[in-house]
Amino acid sequence: MSDLLLLCPRNLDDPWVRGIPDRVSRLHGTPKAQDLRSKRAVLEAFPEGDEKDRILLSLAQNEKWSGPVASLYTLQSVTSLATKSGLGARLIGFQPSPGGGENPGVELLRGEETSQETARDIREVFEDLGFRVFLCRDQAGGILPRVLVSIINEAAYMAWAGIAPPEKIDTMMRLGANFPMGPFQWADHIGLDRVLGFLECLSRELGSHYQPCPWIRRKVEAGKLGIKTGEGFYRYEEGGGR
């Protein structure tokens, strides 16, 4: 039996989840006392919403288990989530690199109250699972999403202004910057709704430099979110191929 517990939606199929060994216990809802017995840590991977809040609150209120919790970063600060849930020093945020792959990376976002023990224990958990770990402050976007959505946003502004079409910008970034995907391909891969959400969060917290390109907003309003809906900046056939 694993000493780790992964809490996630039944339909979650992100690359990092597929990379978690089968030996890790999985649960698709709020854990009960027996589910937490002998667990050294919990990884919580629900999207922002009421179910995520209920799960974190139940972990905080469980008097028989006091281990560390890593919560999948959404758009709410780790500090706010730790305070609202009551987990305090026991909570740290995490966000895996979107591409997965053979050498996956994960960012750990340390809130204002996150203890050194929690950061150390969760770091060891992810290293044991084969991730390269990067610690950062609890600030909007963390490391990779903040850089990536900024590039996507600038590329969208360029295409929207008629400087060059998405295909040309993507090709130039692959050839000239050695990107595995161009910014528009990345946006469709991540989901334009998530890109817009990150940009709005960054804009609120850090200023108008991150103001989302109207073209991204129009795509989201039209339900064209990328690969998951069959169309974003590009159109996709069933299965994700263009």
Side-chain angles (χ1 to χ4, degrees):
M1 177 181 289
S2 170
D3 59 357
L4 301 176
L5 177 61
L6 171 63
L7 304 175
C8 65
R10 193 176 301 276
N11 61 351
L12 185 63
D13 192 36
D14 287 357
W16 73 268
V17 175
R18 295 196 295 271
I20 298 291
D22 291 339
R23 62 180 170 80
V24 174
S25 303
R26 285 168 167 79
L27 192 65
H28 305 298
T30 302
K32 298 177 181 177
Q34 61 266 31
D35 298 318
L36 296 167
R37 192 174 297 126
S38 302
K39 301 302 184 209
R40 64 165 166 153
V42 167
L43 309 181
E44 176 276 311
F46 278 80
E48 190 167 3
D50 292 341
E51 188 164 16
K52 185 184 192 77
D53 293 342
R54 283 195 299 270
I55 288 170
L56 293 178
L57 184 62
S58 74
L59 291 170
Q61 293 177 342
N62 190 309
E63 297 179 354
K64 296 184 178 180
W65 188 79
S66 58
V69 178
S71 177
L72 182 66
Y73 177 74
T74 52
L75 297 176
Q76 187 175 178
S77 75
V78 177
T79 300
S80 172
L81 204 57
T83 301
K84 184 169 68 173
S85 66
L87 281 166
R90 295 166 54 198
L91 186 73
I92 194 167
F94 78 96
Q95 54 183 2
S97 54
E102 296 181 0
N103 298 298
V106 64
E107 299 172 28
L108 298 184
L109 290 85
R110 188 170 176 174
E112 290 294 317
E113 301 300 323
T114 303
S115 69
Q116 291 185 356
E117 291 76 17
T118 294
R120 179 200 63 210
D121 292 348
I122 296 298
R123 181 183 192 120
E124 290 176 356
V125 164
F126 277 105
E127 287 177 342
D128 289 348
L129 293 173
F131 287 81
R132 293 187 63 185
V133 178
F134 304 87
L135 278 168
C136 66
R137 288 170 49 199
D138 178 21
Q139 194 169 75
I143 301 171
L144 181 60
R146 179 171 170 179
V147 173
L148 194 52
V149 300
S150 298
I151 294 171
I152 291 168
N153 200 37
E154 185 61 28
Y157 270 117
M158 290 177 65
W160 190 54
I163 295 171
E167 295 88 346
K168 300 294 185 184
I169 295 173
D170 276 354
T171 300
M172 193 64 208
M173 294 304 292
R174 289 197 307 271
L175 295 177
N178 202 28
F179 277 25
M181 288 186 277
F184 294 99
Q185 291 174 302
W186 266 117
D188 283 356
H189 181 81
I190 296 168
L192 270 68
D193 53 337
R194 291 186 67 191
V195 171
L196 179 61
F198 274 120
L199 287 168
E200 289 177 334
C201 184
L202 286 162
S203 182
R204 286 194 303 270
E205 189 161 319
L206 301 173
S208 60
H209 175 72
Y210 296 96
Q211 185 69 30
C213 174
W215 194 25
I216 297 176
R217 194 179 300 278
R218 295 294 90 81
K219 289 283 188 183
V220 173
E221 289 170 349
K224 298 175 180 179
L225 308 182
I227 292 175
K228 61 186 174 183
T229 61
E231 183 176 355
F233 287 113
Y234 300 108
R235 291 186 179 183
Y236 300 86
E237 299 174 357
E238 189 172 350
R242 284 172 57 191

